[in-house]
Amino acid sequence: MTNIIENLRGQVRNTVKNALHASVLKGELAESTIDEITIETPKDNNHGEFSTNIAMQLAKQVKKAPVQTAAILIANMDFSDTYIERAESAGPGFINFYLNKSWLYDTLKIVDRERNDYGRIDIGHGKKVMVEFVSANPTGTLHMGNARGGALGDCIASVLQAAGYDVTREFYVNDAGNQIEKFGISLEARYIQLLKGEDAVQFPEDGYQGEDIIDHMKDYIERYGDQLLKEDPAERRKKLVDYALPKNLERIRKGLEAYGIKYDVWFSEQSLHDSGELDETLQYLNENGLVVEKDGAKWFKATHFGAEKDEVIVRNNGLPTYFASDIAYHRNKFQKRGFDWVIDLLGADHHGHVARMKAAVEAIGVDPSKLDIVVFQLVRLFKDGDVARMSKRTGRAISLDDLLEDVGRDAARFIFNTKASGSHLDFDLDLAIKQSNENPVYYVQYAHARICSMLRLIESEGIKIPLADEVELTRLTAPEEIELIKKIAEYPDEIRISAQALEPSRLTRYVTDVASLFHSFYNACRVKGEEENLMKARLVLVSSTQIVIKNVLDILSIGAPERM
RNA sequence: GUGCCUGUAGCUCAGCUGGAUAGAGCAACGGACUUCUAAUCCGUAGGCCGGGGGUUCGAAUCCCUUCAGGCACGCCA
């Protein structure tokens, strides 16, 4: 639960703040106001561990050149009880801070103490947050878009858990409304076609063309025969939907589970109709003057809340729209179930939903900042060097099941989390399948397996992996060792940033960096066979690296193999 | 036409709240296995940060404009 970097940053910030006070008190600097002292981490090692640009920001107020201000501040700094060794003015007026190496050795002690919990922080304070993701129509199978949304949503949820939030993963089941109608009509058409021939009935223009619909009906006929031919059509469609829908849902559930995703709640849209919550919501909006009638339909005045246009919530045939259910659904999330923060994941093709959903949340009296909608860009699939166009209409998309079979869960989850959600993702199927160095997931897993192998060998020779407190960590001085420890120290802060940005893709990059620094260390330094104290110190470092890699892969739900 | 996303090395992408000399992986080229896993490492090369303006001590980052690609603009979800 220790964020090392954050603590150090705090030390630096306080040092600067105190120096600023002291300088003003002594009359060396004019009084000034500054919102916040920003402490940044320079990318160049020669610039120390931390730096601040305060002297440049202050230049105008104190009417002094930044370099001069920096010098005054440095002269007034007190480093006692901190890890800071020295501060230097550099460049146009930066102040760079150089730390005493002991912070690195203390880092290894923290990792050793926290073990599986290393990296966990508590910025969430147990706040209740829901992450709703995938929520695919149960009328068909899962496709590449769902696969990206799934990997992203699940990892966002895990990162938030690691950051101290109380997280609920939820799948919204669209088991009501228009698309279920279409589902029924499609099933019915296939049912009749299978029994009476292709030409017996025309397949509806906007029906679901997928093979799975036909398969469902083949199975149904096998079990129950043709008795539904004589049935009233509405009743017939209902029976077919009642048969196929649970099967689809079960298949979706199993597919996602194989992908490493387990939901806490499967929430039924129909339940909002049955419980009366949908009607209540419509009534609430109506009573608050947020509904207008036009052309026989009822519209929600989304424009009142900054949206571009109003939205139909009840059609002129009297049926509520999907959007109406979604308002009731969010009312349920916030008000019935008391979530403090709700995160919805949406594919870019639904980004039009963002503005109206925000408006709707405000309309039901909830602070819209409590709703975050993460819009992720669509996936372009490459195969044999060409774009493999996926078409939902013809049902020829690559399914999640295909993906898991061809690519595997680890590679798929890793690749989907290498890109920021906002960037378009090219998924190279051939590369993903390849078990070679071109495929980044193996690079990380290999580092882990390599460490496990080293530790196994050492232990087989009767040497115990020592505790960090028992060894001379100051023996670790090689640049490869220092860089690796620094990277390990960053982990808790990396969790913090990933959680705040809702970007787990940072973690795949982070863990790749750890692996890379480890491999460099491995090639530069030997462990087994070294002088005993050095070997022990390195064993602690190697073991810490293993812990960090394992912890990150756990968050991403990617396997950490002990052998490869 | 309007709105949103994206434009950074040959390819795929990082670049946090504006900071110091723009990074990584892959591909290319040259090296390293009698020693803890070579699915590895070390090195070389590769750039008008789409273009043009502006804001300021300082811009890949912020603002305006323009070009290119993706997506969305329904009483579908």
Side-chain angles (χ1 to χ4, degrees):
Chain A
M1 303 296 269
T2 315
N3 186 338
I4 303 149
I5 299 293
E6 182 89 342
N7 294 350
L8 294 171
R9 203 184 282 124
Q11 286 187 0
V12 173
R13 186 177 287 119
N14 278 333
T15 302
V16 174
K17 205 194 287 174
N18 294 339
L20 189 57
H21 273 137
S23 312
V24 173
L25 275 179
K26 285 158 79 177
E28 295 174 9
L29 276 185
E31 293 248 17
S32 57
T33 52
I34 187 141
D35 305 340
E36 206 192 345
I37 298 167
T38 57
I39 306 297
E40 40 195 60
T41 56
K43 30 188 169 175
D44 188 335
N45 262 337
N46 297 320
H47 296 144
E49 275 83 3
F50 294 99
S51 74
T52 179
N53 58 356
I54 188 169
M56 280 122 89
Q57 291 183 315
L58 248 39
K60 263 190 190 158
Q61 288 191 54
V62 302
K63 301 204 176 69
K64 268 193 168 68
V67 179
Q68 206 182 343
T69 308
I72 294 171
L73 286 173
I74 291 170
N76 282 289
M77 282 179 185
D78 176 10
F79 301 144
S80 49
D81 297 322
T82 72
Y83 284 105
I84 304 168
E85 195 170 80
R86 63 195 160 92
E88 281 176 7
S89 162
F94 290 103
I95 301 174
N96 295 331
F97 293 87
Y98 299 81
L99 304 186
N100 186 298
K101 273 207 181 72
S102 61
W103 79 275
L104 295 169
Y105 307 130
D106 288 349
T107 290
L108 294 179
K109 291 179 189 167
I110 290 169
V111 178
D112 200 18
R113 197 172 64 227
E114 300 190 358
R115 298 267 146 180
N116 295 344
D117 287 331
Y118 178 66
R120 303 192 91 84
I121 51 172
D122 188 19
I123 57 171
H125 306 300
K127 211 166 139 181
K128 271 186 74 173
V129 48
M130 174 197 293
V131 184
E132 183 221 319
F133 60 106
V134 183
S135 300
N137 268 338
T139 53
T141 50
L142 298 172
H143 52 77
M144 288 296 280
N146 300 72
R148 183 177 192 185
L152 181 64
D154 191 48
C155 292
I156 286 177
S158 298
V159 168
L160 291 176
Q161 278 174 318
Y165 289 90
D166 175 10
V167 179
T168 299
R169 290 172 171 79
E170 184 150 314
F171 188 111
Y172 184 46
V173 183
N174 303 131
D175 55 357
N178 218 5
Q179 78 282 357
I180 292 295
E181 291 293 311
K182 260 163 60 179
F183 187 47
I185 291 167
S186 307
L187 287 166
E188 178 185 44
R190 293 303 187 202
Y191 179 76
I192 294 172
Q193 283 179 338
L194 280 168
L195 288 167
K196 298 169 74 171
E198 282 277 324
D199 303 327
V201 61
Q202 205 189 351
F203 192 78
E205 184 74 15
D206 56 350
Y208 294 112
Q209 306 259 354
E211 282 290 317
D212 52 315
I213 303 281
I214 298 172
D215 291 340
H216 276 313
M217 289 302 89
K218 280 183 184 160
D219 293 346
Y220 185 88
I221 290 164
E222 202 167 301
R223 286 172 68 170
Y224 303 105
D226 64 355
Q227 48 183 309
L228 288 187
L229 283 176
K230 311 185 285 282
E231 184 70 84
D232 165 64
E235 187 61 25
R236 173 166 63 206
R237 288 195 288 272
K238 185 181 177 311
K239 281 186 173 156
L240 292 176
V241 168
D242 285 348
Y243 169 81
L245 195 66
K247 284 199 169 348
N248 273 357
L249 269 175
E250 184 56 15
R251 185 189 298 161
I252 287 172
R253 193 189 62 75
K254 276 199 177 128
L256 289 170
E257 207 169 295
Y259 193 36
I261 300 173
K262 248 189 109 107
Y263 285 94
D264 300 300
V265 179
W266 292 75
F267 192 93
S268 153
E269 180 183 357
Q270 183 62 43
S271 76
L272 293 165
H273 291 73
D274 298 342
S275 68
E277 284 175 65
L278 178 59
D279 288 339
E280 275 172 37
T281 303
L282 293 174
Q283 200 183 326
Y284 176 90
L285 293 175
N286 205 17
E287 283 167 0
N288 285 277
L290 298 170
V291 178
V292 283
E293 281 211 45
K294 200 177 80 187
D295 306 331
K298 293 188 170 128
W299 301 66
F300 165 61
K301 292 201 236 172
T303 47
H304 256 53
F305 304 96
E308 287 209 344
K309 55 187 176 65
D310 293 339
E311 300 289 338
V312 172
I313 46 175
V314 181
R315 294 185 285 234
N316 66 8
N317 62 8
L319 295 173
T321 60
Y322 167 85
F323 181 50
S325 315
D326 219 5
I327 301 175
Y329 181 36
H330 281 77
R331 197 158 164 264
N332 175 287
K333 291 180 182 180
F334 284 110
Q335 292 172 348
K336 286 258 173 359
R337 286 189 282 166
F339 281 96
D340 303 309
W341 186 18
V342 168
I343 298 165
D344 295 348
L345 273 87
L346 242 41
D349 52 340
H350 289 109
H351 76 259
H353 200 52
V354 175
R356 57 174 173 262
M357 205 59 242
K358 283 271 194 182
V361 164
E362 201 176 341
I364 57 174
V366 173
D367 175 0
S369 72
K370 289 183 168 183
L371 172 68
D372 267 306
I373 301 181
V374 175
V375 175
F376 59 92
Q377 296 303 311
L378 301 176
V379 180
R380 207 163 48 146
L381 193 66
F382 275 81
K383 197 168 161 52
D384 308 321
D386 284 323
V387 180
R389 198 65 202 154
M390 35 188 167
S391 159
K392 205 173 188 180
R393 201 181 51 76
T394 58
R396 254 203 312 237
I398 293 213
S399 71
L400 177 65
D401 295 339
D402 298 337
L403 182 73
L404 289 177
E405 195 173 318
D406 293 345
V407 174
R409 163 181 157 174
D410 290 349
R413 289 186 67 115
F414 194 92
I415 291 168
F416 280 125
N417 274 304
T418 48
K419 271 82 180 172
S421 53
S423 68
H424 302 261
L425 190 151
D426 286 347
F427 195 104
D428 186 334
L429 202 57
D430 307 303
L431 176 63
I433 289 168
K434 244 188 242 179
Q435 301 211 2
S436 78
N437 61 339
E438 289 168 70
N439 195 337
V441 66
Y442 297 109
Y443 182 81
V444 174
Q445 290 186 320
Y446 181 69
H448 186 267
R450 196 178 218 185
I451 292 173
C452 290
S453 161
M454 290 170 76
L455 297 180
R456 247 191 333 264
L457 185 72
I458 296 263
E459 281 178 317
S460 76
E461 293 182 4
I463 301 168
K464 253 188 66 193
I465 311 301
L467 296 173
D469 287 323
E470 303 167 347
V471 304
E472 290 175 34
L473 291 171
T474 51
R475 299 297 298 273
L476 302 173
T477 55
E480 289 83 2
E481 294 166 328
I482 301 299
E483 289 310 305
L484 181 55
I485 303 173
K486 274 189 187 173
K487 188 53 78 171
I488 287 173
E490 286 172 16
Y491 181 44
D493 207 45
E494 205 53 53
I495 291 285
R496 191 204 99 231
I497 300 171
S498 304
Q500 283 169 346
L502 302 177
E503 274 298 354
S505 63
R506 295 187 62 96
L507 293 182
T508 55
R509 275 192 296 280
Y510 171 76
V511 78
T512 303
D513 287 347
V514 175
S516 170
L517 289 170
F518 172 74
H519 286 310
S520 296
F521 158 80
Y522 178 89
N523 277 276
C525 307
R526 286 196 58 81
V527 178
K528 185 170 163 279
E530 283 289 349
E531 181 274 319
E532 189 179 352
N533 287 320
L534 179 59
M535 179 190 75
K536 282 185 170 171
R538 284 184 174 164
L539 276 175
V540 169
L541 174 57
V542 169
S543 152
S544 299
T545 307
Q546 186 262 328
I547 288 169
V548 171
I549 294 179
K550 175 76 163 65
N551 289 358
V552 179
L553 291 179
D554 278 352
I555 281 191
L556 300 170
S557 281
I558 291 170
E562 296 186 2
R563 298 167 200 273
M564 276 174 83

